[in-house]
Amino acid sequence: MSHTPRSLRSRAVLTCALLVAPLIAGLSGCGGSPDPLSAKPYDAADQISFSGDGDGRKANPDKPLEVTAKDDDSRITDVTATDAAGRYVRGELTDDGRRWRSTVPLAAGAHYTLKVSTEDSNGAPGRRTVDFTTSSAHRLLKVTFGPKAGEYGVGQPITAKLSRPVKDPSARAVIERALKVDARPAVEGVWHWVDSRNLHYRPQEYWPAHATITVHSNLKGIRIGGGLYGGEAKSLRLTTGDRLEALTDSGTHQMTVKRNGVPIRTIPITTGMPGFDTRNGIKVILAKESAVRMTGASIGLGAGSYDLMVYWAARVTKSGEYVHAAPWSTGSQGYANVSHGCTGMSTANAQWFFNTVRLGDIVQVVHSNGEDMATFDNGYGDWNMAWADWRKGSAVASGQSDATPADSARLRPQA
């Protein structure tokens, strides 16, 4: 039996160790278990489902978008949903990674891209990208703004006519917040619900002179409530001219016309006689008619009472009150009220007034024995309502609703 010296055995062991070490190092570098996060993401289609997927049907915008992990061997780590413009849909992921749910409404008839990140039980990452479209709304609310584009006086209210009636305060708040009015110079204003289909917008005071006012709607695709969605609306741009005001004093029988606060003309006038007293209050010029036929029958008098053509007529009420030429009453102008409710003046003064004013300019009547101008049902009497009362007609300014603002129903970048 031979024996190897201890020193030789030690050198042999050391040599083997030196030879094996590089081999082990090489094996761990090529054949070991790599970091799962460094692997290329796998297709996670089989691990997730979402509420708009499956049979080709479009997603329902009335319901939240949901992404769910199908089994216990995987979990969702991140979800990103964006619309065609790249805006994000906010949502919440449960702590266990089993479900993600959108927290803001989706728009109707809109395209979205959904990107989902997952990981399996070994920590390997998965990815899935899905494009889907929400169904179009069957009930659309269209908005028509008024008046027509152009230049107006500083008393011209903005109007919005809805294609369907809306009575719910929360739905009204959504609509108000989406109907935008911007003025340069800037001025505070509020929408007021005249009825369930009509809104008026005005500042606390008149519009600034030489302002630019733009009106547009952000309602398109927005869920309003009760299955109703916002539809199309054509934007509007208005400008104002000088601040022109005509102060009609039925007591002194004089009209004072001011431009930007400075009197430019005083005109002898006649207003409504007893029984036909001119309405008190602030009115806005609705139309200019160089010639209009006026009859007694239109105000309830007999057919033969009067029937004549009237010239240089500026209309201030729907019921037929005008500022116009009245050459037949020049002897009373400046002294007595002898008309059937209109403001009459000489032909020369009426022509000057007609050529000076524009639609939306202000005509205010004081010291008449007539009734007060109605706020809405006989023209634009909007300015006769106190500002505090005007704000009460707003679902937003009055605090009638704590509904989610319409802007939040749109897509915002996630924080």
Side-chain angles (χ1 to χ4, degrees), residues 297-312:
S298 65
I299 58 171
L301 297 178
S305 56
Y306 66 86
D307 186 343
L308 69 162
M309 292 300 297
V310 174
Y311 298 94
W312 310 118

Side-chain angles (χ1 to χ4, degrees), residues 5-74:
R6 180 177 296 179
S7 59
L8 293 176
R9 290 201 307 269
S10 299
R11 286 197 296 271
V13 171
L14 178 59
T15 301
C16 289
L18 292 174
L19 290 172
V20 170
L23 178 61
I24 293 175
L27 289 174
S28 64
C30 299
S33 298
D35 182 354
L37 296 179
S38 67
K40 182 179 179 180
Y42 59 85
D43 185 354
D46 294 335
Q47 292 184 341
I48 62 167
S49 63
F50 82 101
S51 54
D53 199 5
D55 54 9
R57 292 181 301 175
K58 295 182 178 180
N60 186 350
D62 285 330
K63 297 180 179 179
L65 178 64
E66 290 188 351
V67 183
T68 306
K70 290 183 176 180
D71 53 57
D72 295 333
D73 294 331
S74 62

Side-chain angles (χ1 to χ4, degrees), residues 277-340:
D277 301 275
T278 305
R279 296 171 183 81
N280 281 299
I282 301 171
K283 305 159 191 178
V284 171
I285 294 179
L286 305 176
K288 293 168 62 176
E289 303 170 46
S290 57
V292 58
R293 182 184 178 188
M294 295 187 179
T295 66
S298 65
I299 58 171
L301 297 178
S305 56
Y306 66 86
D307 186 343
L308 69 162
M309 292 300 297
V310 174
Y311 298 94
W312 310 118
R315 188 167 193 155
V316 293
T317 72
K318 292 180 179 179
S319 60
E321 184 181 320
Y322 289 82
V323 177
H324 63 77
W328 54 85
S329 65
T330 52
S332 298
Q333 292 165 16
Y335 302 99
N337 294 323
V338 298
S339 82
H340 291 95

